[in-house]
Amino acid sequence: MSILMSLVTSGSLNFEIFPGEGKKYIFGSDEDAYNAVSLVLAYAEKDSETMAKFMRDTVVYYPPLGGKAMRSPKSALPAIVKSLHEPYDSIQRSINNVVPLKIEGSDFTRVSVAFREKRYYKDGTQESVRLIDRIFFREGKIFRIIQWMGEIDN
């Protein structure tokens, strides 16, 4: 598979996966970008109600350290958030950047949100990590989240 990319003056990125099928990346909506950031920050605040506003009835989540994808109904969100926050006193997130992209002609937008997370554990220890969430929207609602994580020095 050959991939050819070039930036064009229109603000889109041309790519060609198979010769002759060139399509463009175009910027997705500002609303999807805003909602992705709102979701990322709401998680840190354990605000599952706000998170649920942006989600479809079922969301597929790919965890940062591999393993199986988890398909979860929106109704399970409060219990999932509570469980994931169990080891922490609190979490602080700071957004580095957000980029909404869409393949021309597709029916979904992928929003990449890069951020740093400071984790304060109940035992008094702290940890800092870098995260990238790729959040997929269709008709304004999230249907997939893929997450990557990297350690950073405290």
Side-chain angles (χ1 to χ4, degrees), residues 4 13-14 21 26 28 35 40-41 43-44 47 49 56 58 64 66-67 76 86 97 102 108 125 128 130 133 135 140:
L4 174 65
L13 183 67
N14 281 339
E21 292 186 25
I26 57 176
N35 290 344
V40 166
L41 296 176
Y43 173 81
D47 185 355
E49 188 175 315
R56 293 180 78 105
T58 302
E86 181 56 36
N97 62 66
K102 186 173 181 170
F108 66 90
T125 60
S128 294
R130 294 175 307 201
D133 283 2
I135 303 169

Side-chain angles (χ1 to χ4, degrees), residues 47-131:
D47 185 355
S48 56
E49 188 175 315
T50 294
M51 293 172 67
K53 289 191 311 187
F54 305 117
M55 297 185 165
R56 293 180 78 105
D57 290 338
T58 302
V59 174
V60 178
Y61 171 70
Y62 293 81
L65 300 176
K68 288 189 169 189
M70 296 180 275
R71 179 179 297 275
S72 302
K74 184 168 36 175
S75 61
L77 189 59
I80 292 169
V81 170
K82 182 178 180 182
S83 172
L84 292 173
H85 274 267
E86 181 56 36
Y88 310 115
D89 270 335
S90 64
I91 294 175
Q92 293 178 343
R93 288 180 163 180
S94 60
I95 305 297
N96 293 331
N97 62 66
V98 56
V99 181
L101 291 176
K102 186 173 181 170
I103 297 173
E104 195 172 60
S106 68
D107 68 344
F108 66 90
T109 299
R110 66 191 86 201
V111 180
S112 295
V113 183
F115 56 98
R116 291 180 182 258
E117 181 174 275
K118 186 89 168 187
R119 298 170 176 172
Y120 299 90
Y121 288 89
K122 290 180 179 174
D123 67 5
T125 60
Q126 298 177 15
E127 176 184 36
S128 294
V129 295
R130 294 175 307 201
L131 290 154

